[in-house]
Structures are given as structure tokens and as C-alpha cells.
Amino acid sequence: MKKLHDPALDEVFVESRPAFKGRLLHVHVDTVRLPNGNTTTREMADHQGAVAIVPFLPDGSVILVKQFRYPMGTVMYEIPAGKIDPGEAPERCAVRELSEETGYEGDNWEYLGAIATTPGFTNEVIHLYAVTGLHPHKQHTDPDEFICVEAVPKASLLSMIEDGTLFDGKTIAALGILSMKKIL
């Protein structure tokens, strides 16, 4: 991702202290110097990054996954996604995650760009992809993942967003990028 700097806005790192180290997140509290010279703290969760994939079936339907998301307390519709392993390239992770979560492999991959998920407290970046030319095989999720796969007609996606059935940010961002690419 491109990094932009502006002396009137940049914050400068002073020091850091760890707050929590888990399986997925490492949280620390950083002291920063503000543009006006004052200092303050920033709570930050480090994340290794992730990928998310919009898989298209030949009829134009989109493969979505459904899974219970504990922090949200609900089953959610999402595009397949997963975190990047240390040293793994995002495009390799995308191929792996599509296969694990959906049981599909794809022939034609397109990189859509990257999004910062919640830059107010985490450095997580998700790389977005679209894939066509799908070939089914066997889903092979992680032992702690329980995922249902559904093919959703393109015409149903907007109404799912409007009625609140589909409210996952990475999914809406990827679908929005694809929509804009068709319009521009």
C-alpha cells in the first residue's frame, strides 16, 4: 500500500509497551508525538494481513461462505478469506484459502487492490481478488472452522446488503470495486 506523509498530520513513534499477545493479535500501547509537539498514546493491534476472494461461478453467481463470527455474535455471509501465513505471498494465500474454505480452485485470478480494515486500531491489510474458471473439489477447512458454502446470484447481492443480511466490510468493498470496474 502506498504510504503518504504530511508534516501537519504525521505522528512520530516515541516508545511501545506490549499489552497482549494472542494467537491472532498482538496488542501494544505506543506513545507518539503529535504534530503540535504533544504526546499521546495509541492502542494498536498488529495483524499479519489477509486475503479475500470473490469467486464467480460460470452462471455469474458468487460463492459466499457462512460462518459464525464470535465477536459479532451471529452467522455472517462473507467472501472466502483468511490470514496470510508468515512468509506467504498474498496471491498464494488466496489460492490456498479459496481451496480450504470453498472446495474450489480457480483458473483466472484478478487482483482488485488492498483495503485497510480498521486503521484506527489495527494495521491489518486485506488483499482482494476475483477468480473465475472454478473447478470443484473437496472443502478442507481448518479444524476450528465450520463453514457453509452458498452460491448467491449476482442479482441478490445488493438486496442482501440493503436488508442487512450481508454486512461484512471486506465483502462489500470487493463487490464495490468490481461494480465500479464495470461502470468506469
Side-chain angles (χ1 to χ4, degrees):
M1 297 188 78
K2 185 183 282 191
K3 297 221 178 192
L4 305 174
H5 294 283
D6 183 330
L9 301 173
D10 285 354
E11 298 179 2
V12 178
F13 172 83
V14 175
E15 66 181 3
S16 184
R17 64 179 165 78
F20 170 80
K21 186 173 183 176
R23 229 174 22 135
L24 175 64
L25 296 175
H26 300 204
V27 179
H28 49 96
V29 180
D30 290 357
T31 301
V32 299
R33 185 169 322 322
L34 301 171
N36 65 3
N38 294 336
T39 59
T40 192
T41 58
R42 300 289 186 226
E43 296 168 359
M44 184 167 146
D46 285 326
H47 190 281
Q48 69 248 35
V51 300
I53 309 104
V54 182
F56 287 98
L57 290 169
D59 69 359
S61 295
V62 172
I63 299 280
L64 295 180
V65 295
K66 278 189 347 187
Q67 60 185 319
F68 185 81
R69 291 300 198 172
Y70 181 81
M72 300 303 297
T74 187
V75 170
M76 292 181 65
Y77 280 93
E78 306 172 39
I79 55 177
K83 61 184 183 298
I84 299 170
D85 289 336
E88 184 178 35
E91 56 275 4
R92 185 74 215 127
C93 179
V95 170
R96 177 179 56 77
E97 287 293 342
L98 176 69
S99 174
E100 287 176 7
E101 290 197 356
T102 69
Y104 282 92
E105 292 177 350
D107 292 333
N108 310 305
W109 289 84
E110 179 184 359
Y111 183 68
L112 302 176
I115 59 170
T117 59
T118 46
F121 71 88
T122 183
N123 60 358
E124 181 186 28
V125 170
I126 299 181
H127 298 271
L128 305 173
Y129 295 86
V131 62
T132 59
L134 298 179
H135 308 284
H137 62 93
K138 188 175 173 148
Q139 182 186 38
H140 49 106
T141 58
D142 292 336
D144 62 349
E145 286 183 311
F146 298 88
I147 296 174
C148 294
V149 177
E150 287 190 24
V152 176
K154 244 193 282 194
S156 300
L157 293 169
L158 182 58
S159 64
M160 289 176 71
I161 294 168
E162 290 174 337
D163 73 12
T165 302
L166 172 55
F167 60 97
D168 172 61
K170 69 186 171 297
T171 302
I172 293 170
L175 295 174
I177 291 168
L178 286 165
S179 178
M180 286 188 293
K181 288 176 81 96
K182 303 285 190 246
I183 294 170
L184 299 175

